[in-house]
């Protein structure tokens, strides 16, 4: 399961880490979050091997665009390219579709921070907050009630820290109810703007645990009241 939330000062993506065996060596790089170019990153839900092919294509396209035009590729243009590539595999005989859904987070000067979702068919759409992967309907129903869309004004849109807490709440709802929330089972990613450049960051276990503890404390105080 992966959650994407558009904040007023950045983008938050959170994903569930599946720990299949305690004997597995820890991954050296993230298996859920990938940087495509300096201003775009994505989250993966589905077959990671299929995703690797599409991620390579996206990185190649972004690099060629930057080389050709000497400026970063617009976010939606990169998303559309990946989705066209996916769609091609649904209409040719002898090929199977890529079994992977993506959340794309990016920033460009024209439209600011953007969040897109794409499915294996090649469809894509822009979102303020969404969930992909297992049990995504439960997550979306929580986002509908908890996420402030900004209709009351720009101030009502959550900041990155509030968006992180909301993402943890959604993951808690979509993950296996028998398992307690733990930093090892979640990967929290933020994209923010610093000095005009995108800063990509995956929270370490200590920072992730602090967010989880804050959410649990809020839940406990709400329950007491």
């Amino acid at each position: 399961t992966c959650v994407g939330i558009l904040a007023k000062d950045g983008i938050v993506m959170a994903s569930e880490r599946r720990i299949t065996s305690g004997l597995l060596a820890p991954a050296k790089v993230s298996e859920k979050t990938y940087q495509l170019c300096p201003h775009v990153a994505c989250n993966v839900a589905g077959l990671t091997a299929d995703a690797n092919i599409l991620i390579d294509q996206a990185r190649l396209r972004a690099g060629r665009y930057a080389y050709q035009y000497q400026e970063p590729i617009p976010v939606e243009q990169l998303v559309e390219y990946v989705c066209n590539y996916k769609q091609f595999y649904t209409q040719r005989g002898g090929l199977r579709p890529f079994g992977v859904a993506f959340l794309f987070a990016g920033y460009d000067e024209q439209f600011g921070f953007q969040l897109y979702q794409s499915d294996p068919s090649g469809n894509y759409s822009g979102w303020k907050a969404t969930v992909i992967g297992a049990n995504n309907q439960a997550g979306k129903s929580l986002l509908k009630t908890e996420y402030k869309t900004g209709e009351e004004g720009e101030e009502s849109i959550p900041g990155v820290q509030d968006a992180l807490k909301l993402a943890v709440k959604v993951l808690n709802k979509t993950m296996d109810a028998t398992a307690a929330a733990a930093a090892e089972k979640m990967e929290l990613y933020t994209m923010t703007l610093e000095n005009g450049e995108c800063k990509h960051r995956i929270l370490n276990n200590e920072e992730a645990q602090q967010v989880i503890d804050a959410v649990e404390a809020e839940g406990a105080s709400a329950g007491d009241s």
Side-chain angles (χ1 to χ4, degrees), residues 87-122:
Q87 192 277 332
F88 177 81
Y89 275 71
T90 68
Q91 73 177 76
R92 286 286 185 273
L95 304 174
R96 70 163 178 81
F98 290 95
V100 61
F102 282 108
L103 282 181
F104 294 96
Y107 175 88
D108 59 42
E109 289 182 357
Q110 189 171 5
F111 295 110
F113 288 107
Q114 297 154 71
L115 178 68
Y116 294 95
Q117 169 189 334
S118 88
D119 59 34
S121 69

Side-chain angles (χ1 to χ4, degrees), residues 6 25 27 69 85 92 136 138 144 152 163 171 196 199-200 217 219:
L6 204 58
Y69 299 107
Y85 195 88
R92 286 286 185 273
N136 63 71
K144 277 181 189 174
E152 300 85 13
L171 278 185
K199 185 174 181 184
H200 305 261

Side-chain angles (χ1 to χ4, degrees), residues 9 23 28 35 64 92 106:
D9 51 350
L23 299 176
K28 296 176 181 65
Q35 186 176 337
R64 283 174 173 165
R92 286 286 185 273

